Amino acid sequence: MDDTTDLQTDRLEWLWRALLGAGVLALVLTTFKSDRHVHPLYDFEIFWRAGRRLLAGKSPYRVDGFVSPLPLAVLFAPLALLPRLSAWFVYVLATVGLLLKAAQRRARWAGWALLSFPVLFTFFVGQVDLPLALSAALLGPLSFPLLLAKPQVAFVAVPWFLGHPDRRRLALGIAAALGMLLLCFWLRPGWIGEWRAAEPTIADYSEHDSNLYRFVPAGARTAFVWILSPVVLVLGAWLRERRDSWALLHLFDPVTNIYSAAVLAEWIGPLEAVLSWAAFLAVGSYVHHGAPMFVVALAILARRWYARPTVPVPEPEAPQEVRDHRVTRIRQSARRSIRALKLGEISVSPWTIGQSLSLRRRPASKQTGAPSGPRANGMQPAGSIGSRNRASSRPASVAPGGLGSSRSGPRSTAVSQV
């Protein structure tokens, strides 16, 4: 019955989630169709064309809009071998697979991440912040060569790995990053100069800010970045949980856009999904100048730090059954001991109390026809305290005839027969 109920609940949950996703998709298409500054696959087409120019041996910085480091064009070179739409489908499938893999312990929450605005907008324009962050979550320091493609994503991901190092993986990741840089210099020796010439200034980036720097005036943005960045980088490396580190660093990332909150997709739940759409609607669906997407990171931190303390998980039933079984055995042993005392099978003495509790019965007397035990003639048993041989470490046996002796066996039997 419980399994059937759970199955029905899961089906209903996925049903209304699919309906909500369809509504969200309709809203996205309607909104973006009215915004002439946003086009489907806008960023993806730029990256794809940069990869094609690199394969042709030409500078990718001749592509209008390509302002990223050369490693991004290197990563898109394999996708550039495919037609643009086919390459985009591969990109979407790979990104969704990474998200499901990274959130496998929170599989239901992966659906909420796919319904959030930053993730959907990432797929819509073909940005790379989300797949790079998911690769970092799965590969750890081994993702360093990939993070060279987007310094703003490296700002969020790298400090925690440096603060919680796996020395072997860290060394391999640094070596792989150096190998990527050598490859880039081999392909384009002067690529850094070309990149710096094409890269916009921080003032230009500030138009798209979607984190806490949105509240900083444009004239003071550079000063705040240089002052706050070292502090938050140290805090990001010091924090114990990767979730806290990434959320904090995202709030103070020097370069953000409306899709940048997708780096936190692993922890986006229903609250964060709703807040992301509220932030999108707050700017009147005009996303060219960013949106207050910092509410996503703040909600993740608030849910982490101010959540109720979890109730301790109760012990499984097996230990309780073991304890009940032990109590039952103790009660049975007590009943048997009392019964043995009533039948005279155990003599009451400090030596025999332990034997009664351990259910050790004394051997029956070999004398046939005569009553056994000290009750035969009313005399005090020889095994009692008054007549026991104190030098012996074992209690004395009782003869069938009532006469005590410090020795047991046939001799005591012979005395009783005389």
Side-chain angles (χ1 to χ4, degrees):
M1 183 66 181
D2 294 339
D3 296 339
T4 305
T5 304
D6 293 341
L7 181 60
Q8 294 177 352
T9 303
D10 292 341
R11 289 178 177 177
L12 290 175
E13 182 178 356
W14 282 106
L15 177 61
W16 73 258
R17 190 177 292 178
L19 294 176
L20 179 60
V24 167
L25 182 59
L27 178 61
V28 170
L29 295 177
T30 303
T31 303
F32 292 162
K33 185 177 180 180
S34 62
D35 188 355
R36 297 181 180 180
H37 295 274
V38 179
H39 305 282
L41 309 186
Y42 176 79
D43 293 319
F44 186 85
E45 184 173 359
I46 293 176
F47 304 150
W48 178 78
R49 290 173 57 195
R52 289 180 69 89
R53 287 191 65 89
L54 186 64
L55 290 175
K58 301 178 182 179
S59 174
Y61 295 99
R62 301 301 296 271
V63 176
D64 187 21
F66 185 74
V67 295
S68 301
L70 188 62
L72 183 57
V74 174
L75 295 179
F76 264 78
L79 289 176
L81 298 174
L82 300 174
R84 182 174 62 94
L85 193 58
S86 300
W88 180 79
F89 275 115
V90 172
Y91 151 81
V92 170
L93 292 177
T95 304
V96 173
L98 290 174
L99 178 59
L100 295 178
K101 180 64 176 179
Q104 59 182 352
R105 295 183 180 180
R106 300 175 295 274
R108 293 185 177 182
W109 285 49
W112 289 110
L114 291 173
L115 292 178
S116 64
F117 178 83
V119 173
L120 285 177
F121 190 80
T122 294
F123 292 139
F124 185 81
V125 297
Q127 263 295 336
V128 295
D129 294 44
L130 176 59
L132 289 178
L134 295 175
S135 300
L138 295 174
L139 300 178
L142 298 179
S143 64
F144 285 179
L146 305 178
L147 297 178
L148 292 174
K150 266 295 185 89
Q152 53 266 46
V153 180
F155 183 93
V156 174
V158 171
W160 190 84
F161 294 122
L162 296 179
H164 305 75
D166 181 346
R167 294 183 179 180
R168 183 174 178 274
R169 293 168 64 89
L170 184 61
L172 291 175
I174 294 175
L178 293 176
M180 172 66 81
L181 291 176
L182 291 176
L183 176 61
C184 291
F185 280 110
W186 179 70
L187 294 173
R188 303 289 303 177
W191 72 269
I192 291 184
E194 294 177 314
W195 171 44
R196 297 298 296 172
E199 186 183 20
T201 62
I202 294 182
D204 295 331
Y205 278 124
S206 63
E207 296 181 359
H208 311 283
D209 277 339
S210 299
N211 59 0
L212 294 182
Y213 284 125
R214 187 177 180 84
F215 300 109
V216 180
R221 188 73 50 84
T222 303
F224 270 85
V225 168
W226 284 104
I227 293 173
L228 295 179
S229 293
V231 178
V232 296
L233 286 173
V234 173
L235 288 176
W238 173 75
L239 288 173
R240 182 177 180 180
E241 298 292 335
R242 182 169 59 88
R243 169 176 51 186
D244 302 339
S245 174
W246 284 24
L248 176 65
L249 289 169
H250 168 70
L251 291 174
F252 296 94
D253 196 342
V255 178
T256 55
N257 209 317
I258 195 169
Y259 50 80
S260 299
V263 299
L264 306 176
E266 291 179 73
W267 308 286
I268 290 180
L271 175 61
E272 291 78 13
V274 172
L275 289 176
S276 68
W277 282 102
F280 164 69
L281 296 176
V283 297
S285 74
Y286 185 74
V287 299
H288 185 65
H289 288 167
M293 287 295 166
F294 55 83
V295 295
V296 175
L298 291 178
I300 291 174
L301 291 175
R303 191 161 41 82
R304 169 69 176 88
W305 291 342
Y306 298 105
R308 292 182 179 179
T310 57
V311 179
V313 179
E315 294 183 0
E317 296 182 358
Q320 182 64 33
E321 294 177 356
V322 171
R323 288 195 296 269
D324 294 342
H325 181 64
R326 291 176 179 175
V327 171
T328 303
R329 290 185 59 186
I330 292 175
R331 290 176 180 176
Q332 292 177 354
S333 299
R335 292 193 188 100
R336 291 173 182 174
S337 299
I338 294 174
R339 181 182 178 184
L341 287 172
K342 290 180 179 180
L343 295 177
E345 296 178 355
I346 301 178
S347 60
V348 180
S349 68
W351 296 96
T352 55
I353 288 178
Q355 295 179 356
S356 65
L357 293 178
S358 61
L359 301 180
R360 295 180 179 177
R361 299 177 181 273
R362 296 178 60 186
S365 174
K366 297 181 180 180
Q367 180 73 20
T368 57
S372 63
R375 297 184 181 181
N377 52 9
M379 296 181 62
Q380 182 181 8
S384 62
I385 299 177
S387 62
R388 188 179 68 246
N389 185 2
R390 303 182 184 273
S392 175
S393 61
R394 297 165 60 184
S397 60
V398 181
L403 296 177
S405 175
S406 60
R407 298 181 181 179
S408 60
R411 183 175 180 179
S412 59
T413 305
V415 172
S416 61
Q417 290 177 354
V418 173

